[in-house]
Amino acid sequence: MTLQTLRAALAEAEAGEYAVGAFNVSSIDQAIAVLDAAEAERSPVIVQSIAGMSAYDDESRWWTRLRGLVEEYSEVPAVLHLDHGRTYDDCVRAIDHGFTSVMIDASRSTDTDEPASFDENVAATRRVVDTAAPAGVSVEGELGTIGGAEAGVSGIVEEIVFADPDQAVEFVAQTGVDALAVAVGTSHGSVKFTDAAGGQRLRLELIAEIKSRLPDTFLVLHGSSSVPADAVSVINAHGGEVRPSYGISPAQKSQGVAAGIRKINQGTDSHLAWSAELRRFLQENPAVVEPSEQLRPAIGGFRAMVAQRMREFGSSGRA
């Protein structure tokens, strides 16, 4: 099966009323874990990379090999997606490397990281659409600002600026995006909400309203990891110092899918699972220096978390 565009994958999800998981990877090992999970679960999948965030110095070489790896999984309906492209050049480089979908995140200024104006967001997003569409590449935009940090390393929970339904309609009309990431109560990073109520803050009525007004645009949930307490506990019991917090509960994400979400981004949960198994192994096996032995449990933890999320999002068995 050839690589899919984001629009094609999410159109199938719309028809089946499920969401496709979009999993951040920063190494070949993590990409294999995601694709192995998709193959085992018979699930469509979105493999996504962030510009400048990988284990490798040469991003061009990394992206070329990532595209080749995804193509090797011929039975997996897969999208290769650029997550949080901050600039036009980021998106063009991804298109040139065979990505079938790109996200231009123009919701924040690249200079100050403050929220951009609506007109600035529209102009930057439209420019990417004008380049991507002739190449057959889907485009995701973002409206409103989602709290936290995309890299998942910040201990600061930033303010969420919720998406406005009227602006959402105007934004899609002016940009022509295929998918829209909407700020509806989630937060990026491994530290999200400091109280248990945070995991129940998804604005389901806002998702439903935007979906009712944009039936042909696919809605995306960013910053949706659940931050499983067991993984955080394992990390901290084996030398880590991850601050405990609350993410979006799996039940809330299922309700979000029912309200119209068709793509769910997840990075933190699988990163926590990787780190938990790696730290556990290294502490329990201090004499082991062979990288393959160290990586095997980390890959397994990552793969298991991805598979679990696929089942929760309703995409398992849909390939």
Side-chain angles (χ1 to χ4, degrees), residues 16 32 45 49 54 57 64 68 71-72 74 113 129 153 158 171 175 192 199 207 226-227 237 246 262 265 290 294 307:
I32 288 172
V45 69
S49 173
S54 78
D57 293 333
T64 297
E71 288 181 316
E72 288 178 15
S74 59
D113 209 37
V129 171
V153 296
E158 298 176 358
F171 184 84
T175 62
K192 297 183 183 295
I207 297 170
S226 300
V227 193
Y246 299 89
R262 293 295 167 251
N265 283 27
E290 168 56 46
Q294 298 170 356

Side-chain angles (χ1 to χ4, degrees), residues 194-269:
T194 55
D195 63 303
Q200 305 300 321
R201 285 183 180 145
L202 205 58
R203 293 275 298 277
L204 299 169
E205 76 289 345
L206 181 56
I207 297 170
E209 181 178 357
I210 295 173
K211 182 61 183 175
S212 70
R213 298 180 63 177
L214 290 170
D216 298 323
T217 302
F218 305 109
L219 301 186
V220 182
L221 196 64
H222 281 227
S224 62
S225 285
S226 300
V227 193
D230 55 347
V232 173
S233 295
V234 170
I235 291 170
N236 291 345
H238 293 82
E241 294 183 355
V242 177
R243 178 182 166 194
S245 68
Y246 299 89
I248 301 300
S249 70
Q252 276 259 291
K253 281 179 276 191
S254 295
Q255 291 171 324
V257 173
I261 294 293
R262 293 295 167 251
K263 173 177 180 272
I264 301 181
N265 283 27
Q266 190 222 264
T268 296
D269 284 355

Side-chain angles (χ1 to χ4, degrees), residues 106-301:
S107 65
R108 290 181 181 272
S109 166
T110 55
D111 295 326
T112 66
D113 209 37
E114 294 296 318
S117 72
F118 179 80
D119 289 341
E120 289 170 335
N121 192 349
V122 165
T125 303
R126 181 73 234 183
R127 186 183 180 203
V128 171
V129 171
D130 287 343
T131 298
V137 173
S138 301
V139 177
E140 175 186 334
E142 180 170 315
L143 188 62
T145 57
I146 296 163
E150 283 82 10
V153 296
S154 173
I156 299 172
V157 179
E158 298 176 358
E159 180 182 0
I160 299 168
V161 179
F162 290 100
D164 177 86
D166 291 332
Q167 282 195 336
V169 172
E170 186 177 354
F171 184 84
V172 171
Q174 291 191 36
T175 62
V177 292
D178 300 286
L180 184 63
V182 286
V184 291
T186 57
S187 179
H188 288 116
S190 60
V191 177
K192 297 183 183 295
F193 304 106
T194 55
D195 63 303
Q200 305 300 321
R201 285 183 180 145
L202 205 58
R203 293 275 298 277
L204 299 169
E205 76 289 345
L206 181 56
I207 297 170
E209 181 178 357
I210 295 173
K211 182 61 183 175
S212 70
R213 298 180 63 177
L214 290 170
D216 298 323
T217 302
F218 305 109
L219 301 186
V220 182
L221 196 64
H222 281 227
S224 62
S225 285
S226 300
V227 193
D230 55 347
V232 173
S233 295
V234 170
I235 291 170
N236 291 345
H238 293 82
E241 294 183 355
V242 177
R243 178 182 166 194
S245 68
Y246 299 89
I248 301 300
S249 70
Q252 276 259 291
K253 281 179 276 191
S254 295
Q255 291 171 324
V257 173
I261 294 293
R262 293 295 167 251
K263 173 177 180 272
I264 301 181
N265 283 27
Q266 190 222 264
T268 296
D269 284 355
S270 42
H271 296 160
L272 287 170
W274 171 287
S275 298
E277 294 308 316
L278 180 59
R279 282 186 174 275
R280 190 205 310 265
F281 180 86
L282 290 173
Q283 192 168 83
E284 293 178 356
N285 301 273
V288 174
V289 296
E290 168 56 46
S292 65
E293 293 188 50
Q294 298 170 356
L295 284 170
R296 192 171 292 112
I299 292 170

